[in-house]
Amino acid sequence: NNETTMCGPSQNPIKPPLRLLLTQESFNATLPAKDDSNKLLQHSPYRYGLGGPDSISTMLTVSIKVLLLFTLEHIVRLIIQKFSHVDPILHVERNRHILARHLAVDFGSLAICGFIAVKNRHTVCGELITHMKSWGKSDSMSDEETERRVFTYHPASQQMMVWFFAYQVKNMYDTIYWNDGIEFVIHHIFAGAAAWGGMFPGCCHFYALFYFGFSELSTAILCLLANFDDQFGVVGLEKVFPKTKIVLGALFVTSFIVCRCIMWPFVTHHFFKDTKKALASTHPLAASRRNFLHLLRFCCFGLSLIQFFFVAMIIQTGKEELAKLMS
């Protein structure tokens, strides 16, 4: 009898070995495509996700990556201190710590996520890119493939979400330590929950490359630009590197327009379309993931509204910076 009891599958579950996930190959599916493993994905989604490494191995890997981020941050602090003779602004310990945070933790983490997304764009979400290039005229995003796009496991997406979740853990610590504000705490909670939920119970790996990878490329540049901010960055840094700030500002505006203003609405349209259909699906994995799909849709809707706020803020900041240059 393969039916489940109140405690889960009645048969002894297949237990993946505990391991550290350091390469993309280590994220390959670990459960055989048999009826027993399908029951594990249905009834134990918060342990086995969509069939990749289990949650215990994932938590072990996240812990190591968070420690790595702390270590890299400290190394960058020491490097900046070694070259502090470049300008007196680097003599201030607080300034060195701010630069190390934005460079090693923020930019480094998001650059890794962006790299994974770009590297695996054709193998994971090639049909979405094809559809985007044709301005929605191709038939590559057919309704018949909705369940595949929502419930198929992709090692690259899982690898990227592990990095993104580890970054959000470190980011939460930094936000509290530096007293960034409650709005950042809320953002990190929702971003971390979305990344973890994408792994366990697991869904929408097809779209994960965009939301946790491509769209964060503009954020990575923003993290570099944040070093010049009077509130969150190093006061006076723009006087030391004025051209660098201008170049980073131009790169950020360009990347934001491409990633957030052009690509985001297009991808989000298909995301909502697919997840709406998935909520009504009779797919074996749908029932145990419906609550999380509702949460994902809510988060995506909220983040989409925030884009309008960012656009207004960019326009206002651009006017202020242009006025400074003209004066």
Side-chain angles (χ1 to χ4, degrees):
N1 183 12
N2 289 337
E3 295 299 318
T4 59
T5 65
M6 291 180 65
C7 297
S10 58
Q11 292 187 337
N12 293 327
I14 302 170
K15 295 183 178 180
L18 179 65
R19 55 204 176 102
L20 200 57
L21 312 171
L22 300 178
T23 65
Q24 185 168 313
E25 288 70 26
S26 64
F27 287 90
N28 289 340
T30 57
L31 299 178
K34 296 180 180 179
D35 186 59
D36 288 343
S37 64
N38 286 335
K39 290 185 183 303
L40 289 177
L41 303 187
Q42 293 175 47
H43 301 294
S44 302
Y46 292 94
R47 172 71 188 275
Y48 299 103
L50 287 174
D54 70 343
S55 58
I56 298 177
S57 293
T58 301
M59 281 303 301
L60 173 63
T61 304
V62 166
S63 301
I64 297 299
K65 290 184 183 296
V66 171
L67 289 175
L68 176 62
L69 289 175
F70 273 104
T71 303
L72 288 175
E73 183 181 26
H74 185 69
I75 292 173
V76 172
R77 286 180 182 179
L78 295 177
I79 294 174
I80 296 174
Q81 183 177 3
K82 183 176 179 61
F83 291 93
S84 60
H85 61 276
V86 173
D87 192 271
I89 203 171
L90 299 179
H91 294 172
V92 182
E93 184 181 38
R94 183 179 184 276
N95 292 344
R96 296 197 298 269
H97 288 190
I98 289 173
L99 289 170
R101 174 193 176 186
H102 291 317
L103 292 172
V105 180
D106 297 332
F107 176 77
S109 299
L110 295 176
I112 289 174
C113 291
F115 173 77
I116 295 173
V118 172
K119 177 184 176 184
N120 297 277
R121 63 192 184 280
H122 293 302
T123 56
V124 177
C125 55
E127 63 215 75
L128 179 63
I129 296 174
T130 300
H131 199 56
M132 196 179 303
K133 286 181 178 179
S134 69
W135 296 97
K137 296 179 181 179
S138 73
D139 57 357
S140 58
M141 293 290 289
S142 63
D143 291 343
E144 290 74 17
E145 297 295 323
T146 292
E147 292 178 344
R148 178 183 59 79
R149 290 193 290 267
V150 175
F151 299 116
T152 297
Y153 176 77
H154 291 288
S157 297
Q158 190 89 348
Q159 179 189 29
M160 183 185 61
M161 285 187 284
V162 167
W163 262 113
F164 190 84
F165 182 79
Y167 166 58
Q168 292 306 323
V169 173
K170 176 64 168 72
N171 214 5
M172 177 65 80
Y173 170 86
D174 289 338
T175 295
I176 296 172
Y177 180 84
W178 290 98
N179 194 27
D180 290 343
I182 186 63
E183 64 273 20
F184 289 95
V185 172
I186 295 173
H187 171 271
H188 301 333
I189 289 174
F190 277 100
W196 184 261
M199 297 184 287
F200 308 100
C203 64
C204 299
H205 282 201
F206 178 87
Y207 291 100
L209 281 193
F210 174 76
Y211 288 113
F212 299 121
F214 284 112
S215 69
E216 295 297 340
L217 289 173
S218 62
T219 310
I221 300 173
L222 178 62
C223 291
L224 296 179
L225 192 60
N227 288 311
F228 297 88
D229 185 80
D230 289 339
Q231 181 180 357
F232 299 106
V234 177
V235 178
L237 188 64
E238 63 178 297
K239 296 179 181 178
V240 182
F241 302 104
K243 293 182 179 179
T244 302
K245 181 182 179 181
I246 294 173
V247 171
L248 288 174
L251 287 174
F252 168 68
V253 171
T254 302
S255 64
F256 186 89
I257 291 174
V258 173
C259 296
R260 304 281 182 156
C261 297
I262 298 176
M263 295 177 66
W264 185 286
F266 185 89
V267 176
T268 300
H269 164 72
H270 287 285
F271 169 80
F272 274 105
K273 185 178 178 181
D274 278 351
T275 52
K276 180 181 180 180
K277 188 173 181 180
L279 285 170
S281 171
T282 58
H283 190 280
L285 302 183
S288 57
R289 290 160 174 81
R290 285 199 177 96
N291 289 337
F292 180 68
L293 282 170
H294 282 297
L295 176 61
L296 268 185
R297 287 165 63 87
F298 173 78
C299 291
C300 189
F301 177 75
L303 290 171
S304 298
L305 290 180
I306 292 175
Q307 308 301 318
F308 294 103
F309 170 76
F310 282 144
V311 169
M313 187 173 65
I314 289 172
I315 293 174
Q316 181 61 34
T317 303
K319 289 180 179 179
E320 293 174 358
E321 293 299 324
L322 186 60
K324 289 180 182 178
L325 292 174
M326 298 297 291
S327 61

